[in-house]
Amino acid sequence: MTNWRVAVETMDPDPAGRPVPRSVVGHAYDVDAGAPAHPITQGTYRVHADHDWAKTFLGWERCKECTDKVGRRA
């Protein structure tokens, strides 16, 4: 079973330690494989490994492509 977590896009080249605005898009990220469900091309991303894609979604918009590939209840 794949361990899908939430990754969020950010245009900040060094996003560590900075708050992520709610206007970003959340992506499904496979922590075991070390890769998102599809290439993320809008900038860099930050993985929230403690936030399960299926159970916890922090108010960010879900990526449609991730939802199509992984589903909402991965």
Side-chain angles (χ1 to χ4, degrees), residues 6-10 12 14-21 27 29 40 44-49 60:
V6 177
V8 292
E9 293 176 295
T10 177
D12 187 338
D14 183 21
R18 293 183 182 86
V20 178
H27 293 275
Y29 185 89
I40 298 173
T44 59
Y45 58 93
R46 183 186 328 187
V47 177
H48 292 264
W60 297 307

Side-chain angles (χ1 to χ4, degrees), residues 39-59:
I40 298 173
T41 59
Q42 295 300 312
T44 59
Y45 58 93
R46 183 186 328 187
V47 177
H48 292 264
D50 54 338
H51 297 294
D52 188 295
W53 170 262
K55 296 177 185 169
T56 311
F57 216 77
L58 304 172

